Amino acid sequence: MCIKEHFHLSITFAKTLVEAIGIVLALLLGGPVGIGTFLMIVIFGPCIDFFYQIAEHFYQRISRA
């Protein structure tokens, strides 16, 4: 969330960027990187962004009441 707000990025892009940096570090340090790692990047970022927008909408409706 800090990267999203500081650089004015979408949650999807910010999460993908952070996870990609993590993969690069894991590869450089000899850590385990598999298909699950790549699926996590591709699937979780957009899912979090989608549900964040829904939650933000409901939060705005509740806070106005």
Side-chain angles (χ1 to χ4, degrees), residues 19-34:
E19 295 293 334
I21 291 169
I23 286 178
V24 170
L25 289 173
L27 289 171
L28 290 174
L29 298 173
V33 175

